[in-house]
PDB file of all heavy atoms in Angstrom:
ATOM      1  N   SER Y  21     174.120 228.385 -57.964  1.00  0.00           N
ATOM      2  CA  SER Y  21     172.911 228.029 -58.712  1.00  0.00           C
ATOM      3  C   SER Y  21     171.815 227.588 -57.738  1.00  0.00           C
ATOM      4  O   SER Y  21     172.095 227.242 -56.580  1.00  0.00           O
ATOM      5  CB  SER Y  21     173.227 226.891 -59.675  1.00  0.00           C
ATOM      6  OG  SER Y  21     173.515 225.699 -58.946  1.00  0.00           O
ATOM      7  N   PRO Y  22     170.552 227.573 -58.183  1.00  0.00           N
ATOM      8  CA  PRO Y  22     169.468 227.070 -57.321  1.00  0.00           C
ATOM      9  C   PRO Y  22     169.731 225.640 -56.841  1.00  0.00           C
ATOM     10  O   PRO Y  22     169.400 225.290 -55.702  1.00  0.00           O
ATOM     11  CB  PRO Y  22     168.243 227.136 -58.230  1.00  0.00           C
ATOM     12  CG  PRO Y  22     168.555 228.212 -59.218  1.00  0.00           C
ATOM     13  CD  PRO Y  22     170.027 228.106 -59.460  1.00  0.00           C
ATOM     14  N   GLU Y  23     170.349 224.823 -57.711  1.00  0.00           N
ATOM     15  CA  GLU Y  23     170.655 223.438 -57.323  1.00  0.00           C
ATOM     16  C   GLU Y  23     171.698 223.404 -56.207  1.00  0.00           C
ATOM     17  O   GLU Y  23     171.600 222.599 -55.267  1.00  0.00           O
ATOM     18  CB  GLU Y  23     171.158 222.663 -58.533  1.00  0.00           C
ATOM     19  CG  GLU Y  23     170.126 222.440 -59.639  1.00  0.00           C
ATOM     20  CD  GLU Y  23     169.893 223.661 -60.492  1.00  0.00           C
ATOM     21  OE1 GLU Y  23     170.745 224.595 -60.453  1.00  0.00           O
ATOM     22  OE2 GLU Y  23     168.869 223.709 -61.207  1.00  0.00           O
ATOM     23  N   GLU Y  24     172.698 224.274 -56.302  1.00  0.00           N
ATOM     24  CA  GLU Y  24     173.734 224.333 -55.267  1.00  0.00           C
ATOM     25  C   GLU Y  24     173.156 224.831 -53.948  1.00  0.00           C
ATOM     26  O   GLU Y  24     173.511 224.332 -52.865  1.00  0.00           O
ATOM     27  CB  GLU Y  24     174.878 225.245 -55.725  1.00  0.00           C
ATOM     28  CG  GLU Y  24     175.706 224.655 -56.850  1.00  0.00           C
ATOM     29  CD  GLU Y  24     176.641 225.663 -57.479  1.00  0.00           C
ATOM     30  OE1 GLU Y  24     176.322 226.871 -57.500  1.00  0.00           O
ATOM     31  OE2 GLU Y  24     177.716 225.244 -57.960  1.00  0.00           O
ATOM     32  N   ASP Y  25     172.274 225.818 -54.015  1.00  0.00           N
ATOM     33  CA  ASP Y  25     171.630 226.299 -52.794  1.00  0.00           C
ATOM     34  C   ASP Y  25     170.769 225.214 -52.149  1.00  0.00           C
ATOM     35  O   ASP Y  25     170.757 225.051 -50.921  1.00  0.00           O
ATOM     36  CB  ASP Y  25     170.764 227.525 -53.102  1.00  0.00           C
ATOM     37  CG  ASP Y  25     171.497 228.826 -52.830  1.00  0.00           C
ATOM     38  OD1 ASP Y  25     172.535 228.792 -52.144  1.00  0.00           O
ATOM     39  OD2 ASP Y  25     171.039 229.875 -53.314  1.00  0.00           O
ATOM     40  N   GLU Y  26     170.048 224.474 -52.983  1.00  0.00           N
ATOM     41  CA  GLU Y  26     169.202 223.395 -52.461  1.00  0.00           C
ATOM     42  C   GLU Y  26     170.050 222.320 -51.799  1.00  0.00           C
ATOM     43  O   GLU Y  26     169.675 221.763 -50.753  1.00  0.00           O
ATOM     44  CB  GLU Y  26     168.371 222.796 -53.596  1.00  0.00           C
ATOM     45  CG  GLU Y  26     167.385 221.716 -53.146  1.00  0.00           C
ATOM     46  CD  GLU Y  26     166.337 222.219 -52.175  1.00  0.00           C
ATOM     47  OE1 GLU Y  26     166.043 223.440 -52.184  1.00  0.00           O
ATOM     48  OE2 GLU Y  26     165.804 221.399 -51.407  1.00  0.00           O
ATOM     49  N   LYS Y  27     171.208 222.048 -52.383  1.00  0.00           N
ATOM     50  CA  LYS Y  27     172.113 221.049 -51.805  1.00  0.00           C
ATOM     51  C   LYS Y  27     172.571 221.469 -50.416  1.00  0.00           C
ATOM     52  O   LYS Y  27     172.618 220.651 -49.483  1.00  0.00           O
ATOM     53  CB  LYS Y  27     173.320 220.860 -52.722  1.00  0.00           C
ATOM     54  CG  LYS Y  27     174.294 219.788 -52.270  1.00  0.00           C
ATOM     55  CD  LYS Y  27     175.417 219.612 -53.282  1.00  0.00           C
ATOM     56  CE  LYS Y  27     176.375 218.507 -52.854  1.00  0.00           C
ATOM     57  NZ  LYS Y  27     177.469 218.312 -53.843  1.00  0.00           N
ATOM     58  N   ARG Y  28     172.887 222.737 -50.246  1.00  0.00           N
ATOM     59  CA  ARG Y  28     173.295 223.235 -48.932  1.00  0.00           C
ATOM     60  C   ARG Y  28     172.160 223.131 -47.915  1.00  0.00           C
ATOM     61  O   ARG Y  28     172.380 222.778 -46.759  1.00  0.00           O
ATOM     62  CB  ARG Y  28     173.780 224.682 -49.050  1.00  0.00           C
ATOM     63  CG  ARG Y  28     175.204 224.813 -49.582  1.00  0.00           C
ATOM     64  CD  ARG Y  28     175.607 226.283 -49.754  1.00  0.00           C
ATOM     65  NE  ARG Y  28     177.040 226.425 -49.910  1.00  0.00           N
ATOM     66  CZ  ARG Y  28     177.700 226.198 -51.030  1.00  0.00           C
ATOM     67  NH1 ARG Y  28     177.040 225.810 -52.115  1.00  0.00           N
ATOM     68  NH2 ARG Y  28     179.020 226.331 -51.094  1.00  0.00           N
ATOM     69  N   LYS Y  29     170.949 223.463 -48.353  1.00  0.00           N
ATOM     70  CA  LYS Y  29     169.809 223.361 -47.452  1.00  0.00           C
ATOM     71  C   LYS Y  29     169.601 221.920 -46.988  1.00  0.00           C
ATOM     72  O   LYS Y  29     169.314 221.667 -45.814  1.00  0.00           O
ATOM     73  CB  LYS Y  29     168.542 223.874 -48.149  1.00  0.00           C
ATOM     74  CG  LYS Y  29     168.523 225.373 -48.380  1.00  0.00           C
ATOM     75  CD  LYS Y  29     167.266 225.795 -49.127  1.00  0.00           C
ATOM     76  CE  LYS Y  29     167.257 227.289 -49.422  1.00  0.00           C
ATOM     77  NZ  LYS Y  29     166.078 227.704 -50.219  1.00  0.00           N
ATOM     78  N   ILE Y  30     169.752 220.980 -47.906  1.00  0.00           N
ATOM     79  CA  ILE Y  30     169.586 219.561 -47.557  1.00  0.00           C
ATOM     80  C   ILE Y  30     170.655 219.136 -46.556  1.00  0.00           C
ATOM     81  O   ILE Y  30     170.376 218.399 -45.596  1.00  0.00           O
ATOM     82  CB  ILE Y  30     169.642 218.691 -48.829  1.00  0.00           C
ATOM     83  CG1 ILE Y  30     168.399 218.939 -49.681  1.00  0.00           C
ATOM     84  CG2 ILE Y  30     169.752 217.213 -48.474  1.00  0.00           C
ATOM     85  CD1 ILE Y  30     168.445 218.283 -51.048  1.00  0.00           C
ATOM     86  N   ILE Y  31     171.888 219.590 -46.755  1.00  0.00           N
ATOM     87  CA  ILE Y  31     172.978 219.248 -45.825  1.00  0.00           C
ATOM     88  C   ILE Y  31     172.659 219.760 -44.426  1.00  0.00           C
ATOM     89  O   ILE Y  31     172.824 219.041 -43.426  1.00  0.00           O
ATOM     90  CB  ILE Y  31     174.308 219.822 -46.337  1.00  0.00           C
ATOM     91  CG1 ILE Y  31     174.778 219.043 -47.569  1.00  0.00           C
ATOM     92  CG2 ILE Y  31     175.372 219.800 -45.243  1.00  0.00           C
ATOM     93  CD1 ILE Y  31     175.993 219.642 -48.249  1.00  0.00           C
TER      94      ILE Y  31
END
Side-chain angles (χ1 to χ4, degrees):
S21 67
E23 294 77 17
E24 289 169 330
D25 264 344
E26 184 62 25
K27 184 177 182 179
R28 280 177 165 79
K29 290 178 183 177
I30 291 172
I31 288 173

